[in-house]
Amino acid sequence: MDKWFDDSQLDFSIFITSRIRLARNITQYPFSVILQPQQMQDILNKTIDTVKLLSNDFMFVNANDVSDIELLSNFELHNISQYFLQNKNPRGFFINKDESVCVMINEEDHIRIQSICSGANIFKTFSLANDIDDIFSQKIDYAFDNEFGFLTSCPTNVGTGLRASFMLHLPMLEKSAQLKNLVQIISKFGMTVRGLHGEGTEPMGSIYQISNQITLGKSEEDIIKNLQNVAHQIIEQELKLRETILQKNRLDFEDKIFRSFGTLTNCKKINTHEAMNLLSDVRLGYGMGFDIPKFKCNVYKIMMNIQPGLLQKNFGRRLDEKERDIARAEYIKKML
Amino acid sequence: MLCQNCNVNPATVFVHRVINGQEREFHLCNQCAKQLEMQISFEDLFHGFLDTFLSNDQKQLYGQPNDLIRKKVCPKCGFTSDDFKNVGKLGCDQCYKTFREDLIPILRNIQAGTRHTGKVPGKSLLEISYQNRIAKLQNDLHKAIDNEEYEQAAKLRDEIKKIKEEHNG
């Protein structure tokens, strides 16, 4: 079955993914800050029973039953968060077959429903998560209040419990000084910019996540529409910069992109950071219509597969840093 | 947890006092906490003039004036307003009601408003529609009784009973 990231047209879009997260809690249990391990286990059992009753589409993964590489791979695929990856509490996640919907149990909130689609499909992505939310709410009493909406562990998520985000590829904005100004401006619209893996992570491969910060006082639809407006304005700036460089200095620019492709496909070893930057150059080249040979899959899929967790998982064994750099270079060559 | 003073109402206020140099904490209900606060503000006013009117037991229990810190405590999970300030997170759903006054200014700062305008979960929708239906029927019932339409009132009473039975399942 094709996964959400098997999108052959993805290389030509600045939008890499559209993502939704809904934060929910169960009214009968305290929130995560004071939740005891036995209560976490109870919540896991309760949600497993609920999902069994309601849907056959989901597989359950108990986080304490799988290897650290397996968990890291799921983090790199955006199925689980950094918080979920790092703690050792009883916790698990449900994931559907094309991996477009994943529900984390015992993250910062009891239930975190997430959906992801390639490209600019934010409303479709929202309906995926929203449907699962409706199913859960038939069997689970959510912590909900008429005044404050869905009640969450942290008041920054209360209300809709919604975090909508776009992952954008912004290499030209990153190189210009404009990105910093843009970050400041969009924060005034209740939005924020983060790195590849969200909160507290560094940007890699010129990939940025923009998402809403406001969750209360606006409806889900308004939050998503605001995000779309802001994203389109950012993309307009990126496209303008791409056009300017073509007019001013096409040859030097094209030369740099093709050299990046050359290094990427001929090197014998390469670290994640360098590979991400070179892949970003190649992706930019595709987006600008340069005649660069295509890989067997889209560049973003390669970007995920060269991360340490997925690289080791696909290689079939644990690798040290040096071995990973060699395996990464071999993998990229194989994808030509 | 019950109020340590009256042992009747749930404790919703956390009182911290220094008695003979030692810190002591009391869990009180709102009523007892208010009484204590009034007592202490009187004491402040008369600088100990009323001291003689405070029973020795009260002095023993609540210590000396000027060292009262009023803290709220969530009756469901025991989270205090200090916990909330330190962690920046809440202990349970009830905390949103307990610390409502502390939360509103924070929400005003970080959110677009202080009232939810989005999705309502299916169960709550049903609950809201059930409560609205019952409220309307009860209103009609009172009107029917006031107008001495007893046949209509009996029908409404039966209908309310039936809906309540169905709801409570």
Side-chain angles (χ1 to χ4, degrees):
Chain A
M1 181 184 225
D2 274 1
K3 305 279 170 75
W4 66 264
F5 42 80
D6 292 311
D7 176 352
S8 59
Q9 293 304 303
L10 194 59
D11 283 342
F12 307 103
S13 171
I14 290 175
F15 286 97
I16 297 175
T17 64
S18 304
R19 291 169 68 199
I20 292 289
R21 181 268 278 153
L22 299 172
R24 302 291 187 246
N25 287 283
I26 306 174
T27 186
Q28 73 191 88
Y29 294 100
F31 292 164
S32 61
V33 187
I34 50 172
L35 197 64
Q36 298 303 306
Q38 185 52 50
Q39 292 171 311
M40 294 179 191
Q41 194 55 53
D42 290 349
I43 292 176
L44 269 185
N45 297 342
K46 195 183 172 82
T47 45
I48 290 170
D49 290 346
T50 307
V51 174
K52 260 188 209 156
L53 265 178
L54 299 169
S55 170
N56 296 322
D57 297 340
F58 286 86
M59 179 180 85
F60 176 71
V61 179
N62 188 326
N64 288 338
D65 288 349
V66 293
S67 69
D68 53 345
I69 290 180
E70 184 63 36
L71 274 187
L72 186 59
S73 307
N74 276 289
F75 167 71
E76 290 160 359
L77 288 165
H78 310 287
N79 295 332
I80 61 171
S81 63
Q82 195 160 26
Y83 176 90
F84 189 93
L85 174 73
Q86 285 168 348
N87 78 67
K88 295 277 174 245
N89 293 327
R91 68 209 191 287
F93 60 92
F94 298 94
I95 188 155
N96 70 347
K97 285 170 191 149
D98 70 356
E99 297 185 13
S100 60
V101 179
C102 181
V103 185
M104 281 185 283
I105 308 296
N106 293 332
E107 213 256 11
E108 187 187 285
D109 295 293
H110 300 153
I111 299 171
R112 286 213 163 175
I113 303 167
Q114 307 179 104
S115 52
I116 186 165
C117 289
S118 64
N121 282 313
I122 194 80
F123 276 103
K124 181 189 156 199
T125 315
F126 176 71
S127 74
L128 286 176
N130 198 38
D131 289 350
I132 301 300
D133 186 40
D134 288 343
I135 290 177
F136 266 86
S137 73
Q138 288 169 24
K139 291 281 167 198
I140 286 172
D141 278 324
Y142 279 153
F144 181 85
D145 176 81
N146 285 337
E147 182 180 16
F148 294 129
F150 292 96
L151 304 177
T152 51
S153 168
C154 186
T156 52
N157 296 315
V158 73
T160 55
L162 168 72
R163 182 83 68 237
S165 69
F166 284 121
M167 208 190 303
L168 304 175
H169 184 219
L170 304 170
M172 296 307 290
L173 265 175
E174 186 184 68
K175 284 181 188 81
S176 80
Q178 288 182 38
L179 192 66
K180 271 189 184 159
N181 295 337
L182 217 61
V183 171
Q184 280 177 348
I185 293 166
I186 74 164
S187 72
K188 287 181 186 148
F189 291 92
M191 306 282 163
T192 184
V193 179
R194 294 182 171 134
L196 177 63
H197 288 290
E199 207 167 347
T201 61
E202 287 296 307
M204 264 201 295
S206 308
I207 293 172
Y208 292 86
Q209 279 191 43
I210 87 155
S211 61
N212 63 300
Q213 275 187 304
I214 282 164
T215 55
L216 178 68
K218 281 185 189 296
S219 69
E220 288 81 357
E221 194 180 339
D222 286 346
I223 290 171
I224 293 173
K225 279 184 179 162
N226 268 350
L227 179 74
Q228 275 184 319
N229 287 340
V230 169
H232 281 290
Q233 280 172 29
I234 293 174
I235 282 175
E236 212 173 289
Q237 300 298 317
E238 170 73 20
L239 289 173
K240 262 188 203 162
L241 290 169
R242 290 184 185 190
E243 212 170 295
T244 311
I245 194 103
L246 282 186
Q247 283 167 0
K248 279 189 177 165
N249 209 348
R250 185 181 176 115
L251 184 69
D252 282 354
F253 187 67
E254 219 172 334
D255 181 64
K256 181 186 180 300
I257 299 278
F258 273 84
R259 279 170 188 274
S260 292
F261 179 78
T263 308
L264 198 60
T265 51
N266 287 291
C267 63
K268 295 287 174 200
K269 62 182 179 70
I270 191 163
N271 66 31
T272 313
H273 197 75
E274 188 186 1
M276 287 295 281
N277 285 339
L278 297 177
L279 282 164
S280 167
D281 283 351
V282 173
R283 194 177 191 278
L284 174 63
Y286 292 147
M288 292 173 79
F290 298 164
D291 192 20
I292 312 168
K294 289 282 289 176
F295 286 99
K296 283 177 191 161
C297 64
N298 69 60
V299 172
Y300 186 64
K301 189 174 174 179
I302 299 177
M303 283 177 158
M304 285 196 297
N305 280 336
I306 61 163
Q307 306 291 317
L310 280 162
L311 193 74
Q312 293 179 83
K313 187 185 169 185
N314 294 333
F315 203 84
R317 70 172 174 88
R318 206 172 284 275
L319 303 167
D320 65 26
E321 206 179 325
K322 269 187 182 170
E323 289 175 320
R324 284 206 296 272
D325 289 352
I326 297 166
R328 189 173 291 115
E330 281 171 1
Y331 165 76
I332 294 169
K333 217 171 288 170
K334 229 190 283 174
M335 292 314 288
L336 252 188
Chain B
M1 176 187 273
L2 285 179
C3 170
Q4 288 176 319
N5 192 41
C6 65
N7 274 321
V8 177
N9 301 321
T12 55
V13 179
F14 189 71
V15 177
H16 177 97
R17 298 216 71 190
V18 183
I19 302 169
N20 299 330
Q22 280 195 326
E23 289 191 14
R24 289 190 62 185
E25 290 168 347
F26 307 98
H27 295 264
L28 302 176
C29 69
N30 223 15
Q31 245 173 335
C32 291
K34 263 187 193 151
Q35 273 178 4
L36 174 68
E37 268 193 345
M38 272 173 63
Q39 227 166 31
I40 284 166
S41 60
F42 263 121
E43 288 176 58
D44 287 348
L45 206 62
F46 294 102
H47 293 286
F49 175 74
L50 281 177
D51 195 42
T52 45
F53 292 91
L54 267 177
S55 72
N56 277 337
D57 279 354
Q58 280 172 320
K59 275 190 234 167
Q60 200 62 40
L61 178 61
Y62 300 129
Q64 295 302 307
N66 299 327
D67 53 10
L68 176 98
I69 304 159
R70 197 184 153 104
K71 288 185 208 168
K72 287 180 205 139
V73 59
C74 176
K76 185 172 169 184
C77 70
F79 224 58
T80 66
S81 36
D82 269 4
D83 290 334
F84 173 47
K85 269 178 209 150
N86 292 337
V87 189
K89 288 178 185 171
L90 294 146
C92 72
D93 54 355
Q94 181 65 36
C95 286
Y96 276 90
K97 283 201 161 60
T98 311
F99 307 119
R100 189 179 176 278
E101 285 162 32
D102 309 277
L103 264 166
I104 295 278
I106 297 170
L107 293 174
R108 260 196 209 114
N109 264 334
I110 61 169
Q111 299 283 7
T114 56
R115 184 159 270 280
H116 178 56
T117 55
K119 182 179 177 177
V120 171
K123 270 199 167 178
S124 299
L125 258 184
L126 287 177
E127 186 62 30
I128 290 165
S129 107
Y130 161 76
Q131 281 167 1
N132 288 344
R133 261 174 90 192
I134 294 286
K136 189 189 173 294
L137 287 170
Q138 272 168 345
N139 196 26
D140 291 351
L141 176 66
H142 290 310
K143 270 187 199 161
I145 293 170
D146 286 347
N147 296 334
E148 297 182 3
E149 294 163 357
Y150 297 115
E151 209 173 310
Q152 174 68 5
K155 269 188 197 167
L156 288 165
R157 187 200 56 209
D158 291 346
E159 200 177 339
I160 291 171
K161 194 177 163 211
K162 196 178 145 202
I163 293 172
K164 277 188 176 171
E165 275 171 5
E166 276 172 8
H167 179 263
N168 298 328

